[in-house]
Amino acid sequence: MTNMKTAIYPGSFDPVTSGHLNIIRRAASVFDELIVCVMVNAGKNPMFTLAERVDMIRRVTADLPNVTVDCSEELLAEYARKKGSRVIVKGLRAGSDFENEFQMAMINRKINPELDTMFLTAEHQFTYLSSSTVKELAAYGADLTGFLPETIIQDVRDRIKKNRKEEINK
């Protein structure tokens, strides 16, 4: 049986930003259940492992009882079919995001014709925010308040320090 009230919010979430959390909170208020799914992206070299990203998202969404966190290495359209979800939620920051996300929505629908994609536009204070930007700021020791949920700022700082030590010891 397909649950029309379950949506999936996929992404690499490396790390989960305040912008991601804003989309999660807004989508969780629309759907009975929201599955935040950490996806494997072959084109990216993540700072955090899948398990670490899942853990961070669980910590920052602990106050949202209808949010579950999962991970997957399969095609999103197939994952959605297995979970009985017919809705994918994607956040859009700017016009440049739309083109790529629209293409992915069409591909997902081709693979799974019952699957629709719902786009949520980022709130103005998050339109510039990406995980890549946050990692760059963190590498320079910038204050990450407002960019990341408070709960995970130390995780990011610790990972930056660890990576620096590894680079120095090479």
Side-chain angles (χ1 to χ4, degrees), residues 34-38 53-55 57-59 61 67-71 79:
L34 179 68
I35 301 169
V36 179
C37 187
V38 180
R53 288 179 273 160
V54 166
D55 174 66
I57 298 167
R58 283 187 178 138
R59 286 189 283 142
T61 61
V67 172
T68 57
V69 185
D70 197 8
C71 60
Y79 176 84

Side-chain angles (χ1 to χ4, degrees), residues 1 8 12 19 23 27 34 44 48-49 51-52 65-66 69 73 77-78 82 115 117 124 138 140-141 146 148 157:
M1 184 174 133
I8 298 168
S12 53
I23 297 292
L34 179 68
K44 292 186 178 180
F48 293 96
T49 67
E52 288 169 331
N66 64 328
V69 185
E73 295 185 40
E78 294 300 332
K82 286 181 184 173
L115 193 57
T117 300
H124 71 280
Y140 287 100
L148 291 174
R157 286 183 183 139

Side-chain angles (χ1 to χ4, degrees), residues 87-133:
V87 180
I88 299 300
V89 172
K90 296 296 288 191
L92 296 178
R93 290 176 300 226
S96 57
D97 277 352
F98 179 75
E99 203 169 305
N100 183 45
E101 294 299 347
F102 182 78
Q103 181 181 14
M104 289 308 303
M106 295 299 100
I107 291 168
N108 285 329
R109 191 152 172 90
K110 176 82 172 155
I111 296 167
N112 179 350
E114 294 189 345
L115 193 57
D116 276 310
T117 300
M118 183 178 97
F119 297 108
L120 286 176
T121 55
E123 290 189 16
H124 71 280
Q125 67 269 36
F126 304 119
T127 55
Y128 60 88
L129 191 56
S130 70
S131 294
S132 301
T133 303

Side-chain angles (χ1 to χ4, degrees), residues 137-154:
L137 290 169
Y140 287 100
D143 180 5
L144 300 176
T145 305
F147 297 108
L148 291 174
E150 287 290 328
T151 317
I152 67 162
I153 288 176
Q154 195 58 50

Side-chain angles (χ1 to χ4, degrees), residues 29-43:
S29 74
V30 174
F31 295 96
D32 293 334
E33 180 187 13
L34 179 68
I35 301 169
V36 179
C37 187
V38 180
M39 304 296 290
V40 173
N41 184 333

